[in-house]
Amino acid sequence: MLIDTYGRVATDLRVSLTDKCNLRCTYCMPEEGLQWLSKPDLLTDDEIVRLIGIAVTRLGITEVRFTGGEPLLRPGLVGIVERVAALTPRPRMSLTTNGIGLKRTAAALKAAGLDRVNVSLDTLRPEVFKTLTRRDRHHDVVAGLEAAHDAGLTPVKVNTVLMPGLNDDEAPDLLAWAVAHDYELRFIEQMPLDAQHGWKREGMVTAGDILDSLRTRFELAEEDAGERGSAPAERWLVDGGPHRVGVIASVTRPFCAACDRTRLTADGQIRTCLFATEETDLRAALRSDAPDEEIARVWRLAMWGKKAGSGLDDPSFLQPERPMSAIGG
């Protein structure tokens, strides 16, 4: 198993399949984009499947989440999902995506074995979407959400970041829309993962702000703490249920004590936390023909050194050197 010195056991693996993205969200990367990883630096499909196989069969991983960048840009995605679905024991698999390519891939991903999707959508207003992402693709995301729901990639979760002066007035409208379409909405506090290091703690839209806004229109009943487990989102029943809304308050309400995640970057590095500044290289071990048990040993050692928390509650927090697009959300 993957255990750390604080007794936490990692059972959830986040796998970044690429650092590339077809949006330029203002809270993630600059308009001109970034210097992408070269192809030789990226893990191959075979290497990704092998590492996931080691994690599942030797290290106790039961959940695999494919991320990016934008994972739908990975040409071999469907094949990777199909091969991971064939592992014994079979892990549950999900995908975090911006939704742009989901309309044409949702059915194939479901057939390959994907269980569900998380789709990022920050606004219901196409003009605000264009401002936030620097791309006019709002209609593609909406269509992708519909396709995912129709394909059975459920529950379809929608991830939303509220930004001051742009979409911070939309929380109630977004929740009403999500309930009407049978999506589970999750608000995420803006985190310091932008490449240009423009994040400021002051003025950010907090979990408290979001809940105050939602309560102007909805009755919210907090879910029993026992149902949350290690999930990052606190959840509330909306108007008595069955629909729920979640808030992931990484900044103002850290949940590090219950963290069960380990992360594999697109270039084969293990990160113990989204905000970690250190990495452990598994790609080198793979490419030097190390046996599975040696790779598992290196992975265990990396997780043993996991820190108690993310450091976000420290006003002097130092942002990670690599942006979200290279780490995987």
Side-chain angles (χ1 to χ4, degrees):
M1 67 173 62
L2 292 170
I3 189 170
D4 64 33
T5 53
Y6 299 93
R8 296 169 296 192
V9 177
T11 58
D12 185 334
L13 170 61
R14 307 295 171 97
V15 181
S16 176
L17 297 178
T18 178
D19 59 332
K20 294 184 174 64
C21 189
N22 42 13
L23 296 181
R24 297 292 181 270
C25 296
T26 57
Y27 52 77
C28 184
M29 69 172 72
E31 186 170 5
E32 65 273 15
L34 300 166
Q35 183 175 351
W36 308 123
L37 293 166
S38 64
K39 189 171 181 179
D41 289 335
L42 290 169
L43 294 177
T44 66
D45 292 0
D46 287 345
E47 289 172 334
I48 290 170
V49 173
R50 182 183 173 197
L51 287 175
I52 295 174
I54 292 170
V56 169
T57 62
R58 294 175 179 266
L59 298 173
I61 291 298
T62 59
E63 302 263 349
V64 176
R65 171 86 60 86
F66 297 108
T67 70
E70 173 44 53
L72 295 182
L73 295 179
R74 179 87 186 199
L77 172 60
V78 172
I80 291 171
V81 170
E82 189 171 35
R83 292 168 68 184
V84 173
L87 292 173
T88 302
R90 180 200 186 280
R92 283 190 55 80
M93 289 182 291
S94 58
L95 178 85
T96 295
T97 172
N98 62 29
I100 287 177
L102 202 49
K103 182 178 180 179
R104 58 180 170 77
T105 55
L109 287 168
K110 178 64 177 179
L114 192 70
D115 294 300
R116 63 171 191 82
V117 294
N118 288 16
V119 180
S120 299
L121 181 64
D122 300 324
T123 177
L124 298 176
R125 304 190 294 245
E127 68 278 8
V128 176
F129 182 92
K130 187 174 181 180
T131 299
L132 278 167
T133 68
R134 305 184 179 102
R135 299 290 187 270
D136 188 12
R137 306 295 297 272
H138 187 268
H139 58 288
D140 291 316
V141 181
V142 172
L145 279 161
E146 293 174 356
H149 191 276
D150 291 345
L153 293 170
T154 54
V156 174
K157 296 183 179 181
V158 178
N159 294 342
T160 296
V161 176
L162 296 181
M163 302 287 288
L166 284 173
N167 61 340
D168 54 341
D169 61 334
E170 287 195 68
D173 290 340
L174 280 159
L175 181 52
W177 168 82
V179 168
H181 289 83
D182 195 31
Y183 306 146
E184 183 175 323
L185 182 62
R186 307 193 312 171
F187 292 97
I188 303 176
E189 287 183 335
Q190 185 195 1
M191 295 178 284
L193 290 168
D194 56 310
Q196 57 270 42
H197 291 192
W199 178 84
K200 301 293 183 185
R201 186 181 302 269
E202 302 77 17
M204 63 171 285
V205 182
T206 67
D209 297 331
I210 294 164
L211 293 170
D212 287 345
S213 178
L214 293 176
R215 286 184 172 121
T216 64
R217 195 183 306 179
F218 301 95
E219 180 182 333
L220 302 181
E222 190 166 4
E223 187 177 65
D224 185 273
E227 294 187 40
R228 181 181 181 185
S230 60
E234 297 177 75
R235 299 200 305 177
W236 284 260
L237 286 172
V238 179
D239 291 339
H243 295 285
R244 290 173 169 80
V245 62
V247 179
I248 299 176
S250 300
V251 179
T252 62
R253 304 181 186 180
F255 39 85
C256 301
C259 181
D260 66 348
R261 284 168 285 291
T262 182
R263 298 175 181 276
L264 178 65
T265 68
D267 55 348
Q269 311 300 303
I270 288 298
R271 294 177 69 93
T272 59
C273 174
L274 190 59
F275 303 100
T277 54
E278 305 89 17
E279 298 177 333
T280 299
D281 188 3
L282 292 187
R283 185 187 63 198
L286 275 176
R287 295 181 180 177
S288 63
D289 296 325
D292 288 359
E293 186 48 50
E294 172 61 14
I295 293 170
R297 186 194 67 81
V298 173
W299 204 329
R300 289 190 195 98
L301 187 61
M303 292 304 295
W304 184 250
K306 184 172 182 172
K307 294 180 179 179
S310 65
L312 282 176
D313 52 351
D314 182 349
S316 62
F317 172 78
L318 180 66
Q319 290 174 290
E321 287 301 313
R322 298 218 277 175
M324 186 187 296
S325 62
I327 299 168

